[in-house]
Amino acid sequence: MKKRILSILLCSALLISLTGCKKESESTIMGGDLPLNKDDLIFTINSGNKSCIPVSLAIYEDRTYELFTTYKACKPKQICTSMLIYTKSIKGKYNYDVMKIFKDKNIVANQSHSMDNLPEYEIYMSDKYVQKNYEYYYTIEKNTTNIFLDNFLKQIKVNLNLCANPEYID
């Protein structure tokens, strides 16, 4: 299952890099610092929108989060086979029981999707939490609401429906 999800993500990244990422508006331009290198990851979450490389939110056990805003990209109109690597992030702290998100009735575990029917959000649990009997992959479908996730995103003032910025490599 993990290999299939990784294959889908890699194919999606390749497809997006070939077609380009459209920016919704200038408000999607974000900064950030170098990413943290932490071992206490709980999960990552991002939009299911594949019209661009979405920002990605990492949630850590020490009540910090990291919003990944920039990724390595090949120059436009070049064939790109590199793996998706985020290069900059915005850090913050939260005071919320993020595990409530997984108690909502509108979260689905291990649901596969086609490119024509993508979920609203995709959540990937860390290996540490998979060993604690959580599933590896969760989704929140379009036209549904996860009140706990909505409240959490409002509290930390994060919009996951933005495009990450490319950082072009040579």
Side-chain angles (χ1 to χ4, degrees), residues 101-117:
I101 294 167
F102 301 94
K103 294 180 179 160
D104 191 284
K105 64 181 167 87
N106 289 327
I107 194 161
V108 181
N110 298 322
Q111 173 105 13
S112 60
H113 295 84
S114 70
M115 289 302 283
D116 296 327
N117 183 29

Side-chain angles (χ1 to χ4, degrees), residues 87-111:
T87 59
K88 292 185 181 169
S89 66
I90 298 169
K91 288 92 172 156
K93 295 194 176 289
Y94 67 89
N95 185 18
Y96 192 84
D97 180 4
V98 294
M99 299 315 285
K100 285 182 183 179
I101 294 167
F102 301 94
K103 294 180 179 160
D104 191 284
K105 64 181 167 87
N106 289 327
I107 194 161
V108 181
N110 298 322
Q111 173 105 13

Side-chain angles (χ1 to χ4, degrees), residues 43-47 54-59 66-68 86 101 107 120-124 138 140 149 152-153 158 160:
F43 62 87
T44 60
I45 182 169
N46 54 275
S47 166
V55 296
S56 183
L57 181 64
I59 307 302
E66 197 169 15
L67 179 65
F68 293 96
Y86 287 97
I101 294 167
I107 194 161
E120 187 73 23
Y121 298 107
E122 297 175 312
I123 302 173
Y124 298 91
Y138 291 90
I140 298 171
L149 176 60
F152 175 61
L153 293 174
V158 166
L160 291 176

Side-chain angles (χ1 to χ4, degrees), residues 1-10 12 41-48 50 54-59 84 86 99 101-102 107-108 110-111 113 118-119 121-130 134-140:
M1 183 66 175
K2 288 182 183 180
K3 287 182 179 179
R4 183 170 42 162
I5 292 170
L6 183 58
S7 296
I8 290 169
L9 287 174
L10 288 173
S12 298
L41 178 69
I42 300 173
F43 62 87
T44 60
I45 182 169
N46 54 275
S47 166
K50 298 299 182 221
V55 296
S56 183
L57 181 64
I59 307 302
L84 176 60
Y86 287 97
M99 299 315 285
I101 294 167
F102 301 94
I107 194 161
V108 181
N110 298 322
Q111 173 105 13
H113 295 84
L118 295 171
Y121 298 107
E122 297 175 312
I123 302 173
Y124 298 91
M125 296 300 283
S126 69
D127 289 338
K128 181 178 179 179
Y129 279 79
V130 171
Y134 284 91
E135 298 297 329
Y136 177 72
Y137 179 67
Y138 291 90
T139 56
I140 298 171

Side-chain angles (χ1 to χ4, degrees), residues 146-168:
N146 182 310
I147 192 73
F148 301 111
L149 176 60
D150 290 346
N151 288 340
F152 175 61
L153 293 174
K154 282 179 191 171
Q155 182 194 78
I156 62 173
K157 297 179 178 125
V158 166
N159 181 357
L160 291 176
N161 295 311
L162 299 175
C163 297
N165 298 312
E167 181 177 293
Y168 297 113

Side-chain angles (χ1 to χ4, degrees), residues 18-45:
L18 291 173
T19 59
C21 177
K22 69 175 186 174
K23 290 194 176 178
E24 299 300 319
S25 72
E26 287 301 311
S27 67
T28 63
I29 297 174
M30 296 165 282
D33 299 315
L34 292 175
L36 299 171
N37 188 7
K38 299 177 77 164
D39 293 328
D40 62 345
L41 178 69
I42 300 173
F43 62 87
T44 60
I45 182 169

